[in-house]
């Protein structure tokens, strides 16, 4: 910590505002006009690693070569911050990743160009992905790819505990039973692990027939009895020795705990496959569907889209670039190169035949629930996460009631 | 007459030249300090949401709405702000006295003529201060992990160390838990301030925050040690010798002769400490991002995340100004406390 600093407000805000300050006081009128249309299309991505960066760079370069339009790809360290800075300064990148929880904020303040109707074909996208990026009946951006959660099992530990294929859990009770058995006799510290957050535990809420909101995301339904059932069950898993949070096991996320052999099962998305291959290549595992809850199967879907800035000077060219990047052919290339599931059905089905290991994740798309994406919901979810960390010691009803209050407040605004 | 106007002309020249010489500094300060501060002040009372210039025509004045929503809105924004104030308050209350005391102790130690290799010790104690706070945070994350060096060390004396940076339990709550008080007494649970109950205000710093407290003391004591060394050198040995002749023991000489003469330095150190600890940001940003369970959330980090991650720029700026007010009030308060009493 450096004890000598500028006043608080300057420290916190000067960085972001300096550019805006210069422009705002420099006579101004030229500032709000659209950025110049000369120069290359700027693409800003939040990359999961070298494989993704290289794949996106290659695809954009191929498009440039084909069309003769210049485009450059850069990788953000902190995408949300860099985008916010870009929007505030009036010089945002033309094309960038947008996550569902950021969408409403950017759409709400007019930073995003809603280009859904300009795309050449939106019919092949998975419908719930299209819904995830639709605000006020306008499709803001094209789904880039998606991921779902499923159950991942360490096969060696599974056998060591004397379990067979017939024991793969399909109900909550079975999951509880095998997790306990694995905890007792597989050598792992815990039978099942997942990180203490809605983005994992929400799958149990979906299986119980609950969710954060109704299907249209117009009403908060956090305190529903289905959600209470789900959290009661998760609390039971955590307290009866079946499951432990990855943080309790000393791991940063479920995949790390699973890869290190601290737990025999985990709930993670398809990004796990890439992580296992690069970090824990010796661990043998299989992916199965999450067990069904009282209201049938359920999982969560996570997705990003290709956002275009409202202040972009290359709107029509950038839409063409998105068209190119979301074709079935290109998405299969991305899938091969960094393991994401294509956002268009035809590509996902084709790719599933090539990579049967991903089948449960792809199958999840048909029944997966979207995470809340309304304005202010990101804050509520992080508050929910902070309360879930102490779930083992708390009353699920109290947690859900407080989150309900917060989420409802953001929706009536 | 002529002489008088000539002098005035010279003075005029002087004034003009003076302004010319300070102009670059004024320009830089104005551009990078005054202007952003004024802009932030405007943002804090506007409904600007981070798109384009805050002075554009579409941005409206909303009065104190942003301040109201974080101080009395009843929503999540208020609760988050209350939580961050609580966390930072415990951080300040622990860090400032401890680092000041440690810095003074180290300075007295290093200043003793009997000590060998004084230069080495001075450098050793000062070293953490010159290391980047990000590097130290990463080091801390390793040291305080479940299987890290700190927990290994604790295990030698038979203590099962906590999962430091993942443990949201407050120290006061843990202590009360030992005494059998697990849940809040009704009066404390039902009432509160700034969105969180009195019971939660009393939670104390979380285990995770305690690790940050240790880190702050470790890194900053060295800096303040230097200030104290300089002050100790200034005092000279005459008063100390006079005390010796009068038969005062070494503690009495320190307490009644040295310490009163260090008052201005103590004021400086405590002021800098207060400002630094209320603005703690980099450790949180690189270390925990406010977690676990928001127990390391601080106003400075909350200000950043409301603005950059949630597009609530008005609230972010409002938090920054409230933080500014807190720091000013506390500094004035301690100046009054440490004033020379005649």
């Amino acid at each position: 910590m450096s004890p000598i600093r500028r006043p608080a407000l300057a420290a916190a805000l000067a960085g972001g505002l300096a550019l805006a300050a210069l422009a705002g006081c420099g006579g101004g009128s030229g500032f709000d006009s659209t950025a110049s249309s000369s120069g290359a299309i700027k693409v800003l991505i939040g990359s999961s690693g070298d494989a993704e960066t290289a794949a996106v760079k290659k695809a954009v370069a191929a498009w440039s070569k084909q069309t003769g339009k210049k485009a450059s790809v850069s990788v953000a360290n902190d995408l949300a911050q860099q985008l916010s800075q870009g929007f505030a300064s009036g010089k945002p990148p033309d094309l960038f990743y947008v996550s569902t929880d950021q969408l409403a904020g950017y759409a709400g303040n007019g930073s995003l160009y809603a280009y859904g109707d300009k795309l050449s074909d939106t019919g092949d996208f998975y419908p719930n992905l299209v819904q995830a990026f639709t605000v006020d009946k306008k499709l803001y951006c094209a789904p880039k790819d998606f991921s779902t959660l499923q159950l991942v099992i360490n096969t060696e530990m599974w056998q060591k505990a004397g379990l067979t294929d017939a024991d793969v859990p399909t109900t909550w009770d079975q999951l509880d039973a095998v997790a306990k058995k694995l905890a007792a006799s597989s050598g792992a510290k815990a039978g099942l692990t997942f990180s203490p957050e809605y983005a994992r535990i929400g799958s149990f809420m979906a299986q119980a027939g609950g969710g954060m909101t109704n299907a249209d995301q117009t009403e908060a339904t956090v305190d529903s009895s289905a959600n209470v059932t789900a959290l009661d069950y998760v609390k039971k898993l955590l307290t009866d020795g079946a499951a432990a949070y990855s943080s309790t096991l000393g791991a940063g996320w479920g995949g790390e705990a699973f890869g290190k052999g601290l737990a025999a099962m985990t709930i993670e998305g398809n990004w796990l496959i890439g992580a296992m291959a690069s970090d824990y290549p010796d661990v043998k595992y299989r992916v199965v569907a999450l067990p069904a809850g009282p209201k049938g199967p359920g999982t969560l879907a996570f997705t990003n889209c290709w956002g275009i800035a409202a202040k972009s000077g290359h709107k029509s060219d950038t839409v063409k670039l998105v068209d190119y990047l979301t074709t079935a052919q290109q998405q299969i290339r991305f899938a091969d190169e960094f393991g994401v599931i294509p956002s268009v059905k035809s590509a996902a089905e084709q790719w599933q035949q090539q990579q049967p290991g991903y089948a449960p994740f792809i199958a999840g798309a048909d029944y997966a629930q979207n995470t809340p994406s309304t304005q202010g919901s990101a804050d509520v979810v992080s508050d929910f996460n902070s309360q879930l960390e102490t779930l083992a010691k708390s009353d699920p009803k109290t947690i859900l009631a407080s989150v309900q209050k917060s989420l409802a407040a953001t929706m009536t605004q | 007459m002529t002489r008088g106007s000539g002098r005035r002309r010279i003075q005029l020249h002087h004034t003009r030249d003076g302004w010319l010489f300070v102009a670059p500094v004024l320009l830089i300060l104005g551009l990078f300090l005054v202007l952003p501060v004024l802009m932030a002040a405007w943002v804090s009372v506007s409904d600007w949401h981070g798109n384009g210039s805050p002075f554009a025509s579409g941005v409206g004045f909303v009065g104190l709405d942003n301040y109201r929503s974080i101080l009395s809105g009843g929503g999540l924004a208020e609760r988050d702000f209350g939580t961050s104030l609580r966390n930072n308050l415990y951080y300040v209350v622990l860090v400032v006295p401890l680092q000041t005391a440690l810095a003074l102790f180290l300075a007295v130690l290093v200043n003793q003529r009997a000590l060998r290799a004084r230069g080495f010790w001075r450098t050793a104690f000062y070293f953490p201060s010159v290391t980047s706070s990000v590097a130290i945070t990463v080091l801390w994350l390793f040291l305080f992990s479940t299987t890290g060096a700190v927990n290994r060390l604790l295990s030698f004396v038979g203590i099962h160390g906590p999962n430091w940076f993942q443990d949201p339990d407050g120290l006061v709550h843990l202590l009360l838990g030992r005494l059998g008080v697990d849940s809040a007494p009704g009066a404390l649970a039902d009432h509160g301030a700034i969105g969180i109950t009195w019971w939660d205000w009393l939670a104390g710093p979380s285990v995770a925050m305690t690790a940050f407290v240790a880190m702050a003391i470790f890194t900053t004591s060295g800096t303040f040690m230097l200030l104290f060394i300089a002050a100790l050198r200034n005092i000279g040995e005459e008063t100390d010798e006079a005390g010796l002749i009068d038969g005062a023991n070494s503690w009495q000489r320190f307490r009644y002769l040295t310490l009163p003469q260090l008052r201005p330095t103590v004021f400086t150190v405590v002021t800098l400490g207060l400002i630094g600890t209320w603005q703690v940001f980099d450790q949180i940003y690189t270390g925990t991002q406010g977690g676990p369970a928001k127990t390391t959330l601080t106003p400075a980090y909350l200000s950043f995340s409301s603005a950059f991650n949630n597009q609530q720029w008005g609230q972010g700026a409002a938090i920054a100004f409230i933080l500014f007010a807190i720091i000013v009030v506390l500094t004035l308060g301690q100046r009054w406390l440490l004033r020379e009493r005649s």
Side-chain angles (χ1 to χ4, degrees):
Chain A
M1 178 187 56
S2 59
I4 304 162
R5 280 234 203 103
R6 289 196 189 149
L9 44 113
L13 287 159
L17 294 179
L19 274 175
L22 289 170
C25 295
S29 68
F31 181 78
D32 278 316
S33 65
T34 313
S36 75
S37 56
S38 63
I41 294 176
K42 282 178 288 175
V43 185
L44 186 70
I45 62 170
S47 178
S48 62
D50 293 342
E52 181 168 0
T53 309
V56 175
K57 279 191 172 158
K58 200 167 91 185
V60 172
W63 178 79
S64 284
K65 207 174 162 194
Q66 193 185 321
T67 56
K69 303 258 168 33
K70 271 192 244 166
S72 67
V73 179
S74 39
V75 180
N77 292 320
D78 185 335
L79 185 66
Q81 185 224 321
Q82 276 165 264
L83 277 182
S84 297
Q85 232 161 346
F87 292 138
S89 69
K91 291 192 174 58
D94 299 286
L95 184 64
F96 41 81
Y97 288 4
V98 179
S99 60
T100 38
D101 57 349
Q102 297 280 357
L103 177 77
Y106 292 145
N109 72 13
S111 299
L112 282 188
Y113 170 50
Y115 64 88
D117 52 344
K118 308 280 194 305
L119 283 168
S120 56
D121 178 23
T122 52
D124 201 17
F125 287 119
Y126 280 97
N128 55 355
L129 300 184
V130 171
Q131 199 197 347
F133 295 112
T134 303
V135 178
D136 293 333
K137 296 191 177 134
K138 270 193 285 189
L139 174 61
Y140 265 80
C141 48
K144 189 168 74 71
D145 47 45
F146 76 100
S147 312
T148 61
L149 297 174
Q150 297 298 2
L151 186 65
V152 191
I153 296 171
N154 183 319
T155 43
E156 272 171 28
M157 290 180 175
W158 189 259
Q159 281 160 11
K160 205 170 159 195
L163 296 163
T164 63
D165 280 359
D167 297 313
V168 169
T170 54
T171 66
W172 279 7
D173 288 340
Q174 288 172 7
L175 179 67
D176 191 18
V178 294
K180 266 192 248 172
K181 198 161 180 190
L182 282 165
S185 53
S186 72
K189 278 190 189 170
L192 172 68
T193 190
F194 40 85
S195 39
E197 55 182 339
Y198 160 73
R200 302 290 176 279
I201 293 168
S203 62
F204 292 105
M205 288 158 60
Q207 290 151 20
M212 299 286 278
T213 60
N214 59 357
D216 299 336
Q217 302 219 356
T218 52
E219 208 180 308
T221 58
V222 188
D223 58 355
S224 69
S225 62
N227 289 341
V228 177
T229 315
L231 287 205
D232 277 339
Y233 174 68
V234 175
K235 184 175 175 175
K236 186 175 144 231
L237 286 178
L238 292 170
T239 48
D240 72 359
Y245 282 147
S246 53
S247 52
T248 318
L249 298 174
W253 61 296
E256 187 190 337
F258 181 75
K260 284 183 174 166
L262 300 171
M265 296 189 290
T266 187
I267 299 172
E268 280 296 340
N270 33 291
W271 53 78
L272 181 87
I273 295 181
M276 292 300 287
S278 63
D279 296 345
Y280 313 101
D282 301 331
V283 178
K284 296 195 175 55
Y285 64 92
R286 64 183 289 201
V287 181
V288 299
L290 279 167
K295 290 279 152 60
T299 186
L300 298 179
F302 306 96
T303 173
N304 278 305
C305 76
W306 289 107
I308 297 182
K311 288 213 172 104
S312 163
H314 307 274
K315 280 188 196 128
S316 66
D317 283 344
T318 313
V319 172
K320 281 183 201 133
L321 175 55
V322 173
D323 260 335
Y324 176 83
L325 292 171
T326 52
T327 53
Q329 202 186 2
Q330 180 54 47
Q331 291 217 40
I332 288 177
R333 255 179 244 144
F334 281 154
D336 278 339
E337 276 154 3
F338 58 96
V340 290
I341 303 178
S343 61
V344 292
K345 268 188 203 161
S346 56
E349 280 157 13
Q350 192 186 332
W351 192 59
Q352 184 177 344
Q353 286 157 9
Q354 295 170 18
Q355 300 274 349
Y358 282 78
F361 293 121
I362 298 173
D366 294 330
Y367 57 88
Q369 202 177 68
N370 284 327
T371 54
S373 59
T374 51
Q375 189 146 19
S377 62
D379 256 359
V380 179
V381 168
S382 67
D383 182 59
F384 190 19
N385 292 344
S386 75
Q387 299 197 48
L388 285 173
E389 287 184 47
T390 52
L391 175 63
K393 291 186 270 188
S394 326
D395 175 20
K397 267 187 195 147
T398 320
I399 296 179
L400 291 169
S402 90
V403 178
Q404 166 75 20
K405 196 178 135 199
S406 309
L407 190 60
T410 67
M411 289 181 149
T412 50
Q413 265 171 17
Chain B
M1 274 301 282
T2 46
R3 277 179 58 191
S5 69
R7 190 179 292 152
R8 208 176 300 138
R9 199 157 52 236
I10 290 170
Q11 271 174 355
L12 218 67
H13 274 289
H14 278 182
T15 325
R16 198 195 59 198
D17 292 351
W19 280 111
L20 211 66
F21 276 116
V22 295
V25 176
L26 280 184
L27 198 74
I28 290 170
L29 279 185
L31 206 59
F32 293 107
L33 193 67
V34 179
L35 212 65
V37 168
L38 291 178
M39 286 191 67
W42 160 245
V43 168
S44 77
V45 291
S46 78
D47 61 358
W48 185 62
H49 280 293
N51 184 18
S53 164
F55 299 115
S57 54
V59 179
F61 175 74
V62 294
L64 294 177
D65 276 5
N66 290 317
Y67 290 88
R68 231 171 265 136
S69 64
I70 53 174
L71 288 173
S72 64
L76 193 57
E78 186 196 356
R79 205 160 73 226
D80 280 350
F81 184 63
T83 310
S84 72
L85 274 187
R86 182 215 40 201
N87 298 338
N88 215 337
L89 190 67
Y90 283 114
Y91 181 78
V92 172
V93 163
L94 285 176
V95 171
V96 173
L98 286 176
Q99 80 183 8
T100 310
L102 183 64
L104 184 57
F105 176 72
L106 289 178
V108 171
L109 213 64
V110 168
N111 203 39
Q112 251 149 25
R113 269 176 304 170
L115 186 75
R116 284 180 171 220
R118 283 199 285 179
F120 169 76
W121 293 114
R122 264 205 312 264
T123 316
F125 293 142
Y126 189 59
F127 205 71
S129 303
V130 289
T131 315
S132 131
S133 65
V134 174
I136 296 212
T137 309
V138 174
L139 174 79
W140 231 249
L141 290 179
F142 281 116
L143 285 180
F144 284 83
S145 75
T146 17
T147 52
V150 172
N151 277 358
R152 288 275 165 80
L153 218 61
L154 287 175
S155 72
F156 288 140
V157 288
I159 300 171
H160 182 70
N163 191 352
W164 293 89
F165 280 109
Q166 303 296 339
D167 195 334
D169 290 329
L171 290 190
V172 176
H173 276 182
L174 283 176
L175 207 69
L176 289 173
R178 284 279 166 83
L179 301 173
V181 186
D182 273 334
S183 55
L188 289 178
D190 297 341
H191 303 281
I194 326 187
I196 60 175
T197 62
W198 292 121
W199 174 247
D200 282 336
W201 275 103
L202 289 175
S206 69
V207 176
M209 192 52 123
T210 322
F212 278 128
V213 167
M215 181 166 116
I217 296 170
F218 173 70
T219 51
T220 1
S221 296
T223 319
F224 296 141
M225 175 193 74
L226 278 197
L227 294 181
F228 279 126
I229 290 177
L232 284 170
R233 292 271 165 87
N234 250 345
I235 292 175
E237 285 158 14
E238 294 83 1
T239 46
D240 207 47
E241 278 167 8
L244 201 64
I245 289 166
D246 286 343
N249 65 26
S250 60
W251 166 250
Q252 284 170 330
R253 290 200 307 275
F254 173 75
R255 172 69 188 81
Y256 297 106
L257 293 175
T258 311
L259 202 56
Q261 295 183 79
L262 287 178
R263 189 201 299 274
T265 316
V266 172
F267 173 73
T268 311
V269 167
V270 174
T271 306
L272 292 178
L274 275 178
I275 295 173
T277 46
W278 272 109
Q279 291 183 356
V280 53
F281 176 82
D282 8 3
Q283 296 90 319
I284 311 297
Y285 179 71
T286 37
T288 57
Q289 314 248 315
K294 293 190 179 174
T295 57
T296 62
L297 189 69
T298 64
Y301 183 75
L302 183 66
S303 166
F304 166 82
S305 72
S306 344
F308 283 93
N309 297 336
N310 303 322
Q311 312 307 320
Q312 296 293 343
W313 293 80
Q315 286 180 14
I319 292 169
F321 274 95
I322 295 172
L323 191 57
F324 177 65
I326 291 173
I327 292 171
V328 169
V329 168
L330 284 179
T331 308
L332 290 177
Q334 62 120 346
R335 207 172 123 167
W336 180 78
L337 273 177
L338 286 176
R339 73 193 182 283
E340 296 277 353
R341 294 180 186 88
S342 50

